[in-house]
Amino acid sequence: LVGNTSDADIPKVFSTSYGEPEHSVSSAYMHRINIEFQKAAARGISLLFATGDYGVATDEGTCPNSRFQGQWPAGSPWVTGVGGTTLGDYDETAWSGSAGGFSDVWDRPDYQISAVSEYLDTVSKRLLPDKSHFNQTGAGFPDVAAQATNFQVVDFGVIQSVDGTSCACPTFSGVVTLLNDLRLKQNKSTLGFLNPLFYKNAGAFMDITDGANEAGEGCGPRGFPASKGWDPVTGLGTPKYDKLAKLVTSLP
């Protein structure tokens, strides 16, 4: 449908709450769809995917062969993966369910080499999971985060509180839509592929430094801790709208 819709009519921001472990999808399929992601980027379309709700594990809460799970499509270098945060006692912290880690399929893209390398080089080795659990050279995810807990939904007339990166992803996507609106009012293009811009301007995000994502059966004793800068729980952090608005309106 995206390919058959004109640039004038196509939405410029897509929020998707779908994902699954990389091992459950064929390599051929992922590489083919990645081409479509790149086509969308060239058209000024931003693609955002929820990373998942089970920390470093599968949706069943396990790590087959003691391997942390890369997530598809959120771990693709051509989309923006959105992790989750929650409100702690005094500040915003990483949500334990926020899926994050490193891809076993995609190499680390140039735009995130510095940020991801800094995390692996500076976080205490006693806090990091054993390196046998994850691909230390793979693309890291998530890229960014937003609140993921205590969202109120109405189900058959009953108000319920729900959690998940499926809440965080549309929340962040709404911010991107507002940023696009600012640019369109200036007769400028929409933002399109977001990641290179975001990684170059990490100061436009609230850095989340507390919390960690959870492990699971066969995953070892711990997931990844949040830390200063990018981390594989909350990415670059949550958006500071005023700073992002100033940034995107200053761009050509």
Side-chain angles (χ1 to χ4, degrees), residues 127-211:
L127 298 177
L128 285 175
D130 188 87
K131 62 183 181 181
S132 64
H133 291 300
F134 64 96
N135 178 14
Q136 296 183 82
T137 62
F141 68 97
D143 301 294
V144 295
Q147 282 284 318
T149 60
N150 297 317
F151 278 69
Q152 304 302 298
V153 300
V154 179
D155 184 19
F156 290 99
V158 179
I159 298 176
Q160 299 182 24
S161 181
V162 299
D163 304 336
T165 55
S166 291
C167 301
C169 190
T171 298
F172 195 99
S173 299
V175 172
V176 176
T177 299
L178 291 173
L179 297 175
N180 275 341
D181 188 54
L182 293 176
R183 287 182 54 80
L184 290 171
K185 288 178 179 178
Q186 296 178 312
N187 294 316
K188 296 178 178 179
S189 65
T190 51
L191 292 169
F193 182 44
L194 301 166
N195 294 2
L197 175 67
F198 286 172
Y199 279 88
K200 287 181 181 178
N201 295 276
F205 295 85
M206 178 69 70
D207 192 6
I208 308 301
T209 59
D210 293 323

Side-chain angles (χ1 to χ4, degrees), residues 55-72:
V56 299
T58 66
D59 289 355
E60 290 74 36
T62 63
C63 289
N65 300 314
S66 297
R67 194 72 172 172
F68 290 177
Q69 299 301 294
Q71 289 292 324
W72 168 262

Side-chain angles (χ1 to χ4, degrees), residues 63-151:
C63 289
N65 300 314
S66 297
R67 194 72 172 172
F68 290 177
Q69 299 301 294
Q71 289 292 324
W72 168 262
S76 165
W78 287 99
V79 306
T80 300
V82 183
T85 62
T86 188
L87 290 178
D89 292 334
Y90 304 102
D91 212 342
E92 193 173 16
T93 67
W95 178 51
S96 61
S98 181
F102 299 88
S103 172
D104 279 326
V105 176
W106 311 111
D107 292 333
R108 190 167 302 149
D110 289 345
Y111 60 75
Q112 69 168 199
I113 286 177
S114 177
V116 176
S117 296
E118 182 176 357
Y119 176 83
L120 293 174
D121 291 342
T122 60
V123 174
S124 171
K125 295 298 185 284
R126 67 180 179 82
L127 298 177
L128 285 175
D130 188 87
K131 62 183 181 181
S132 64
H133 291 300
F134 64 96
N135 178 14
Q136 296 183 82
T137 62
F141 68 97
D143 301 294
V144 295
Q147 282 284 318
T149 60
N150 297 317
F151 278 69

Side-chain angles (χ1 to χ4, degrees), residues 215-226:
E217 183 180 347
C219 304
R222 66 181 67 87
F224 292 102

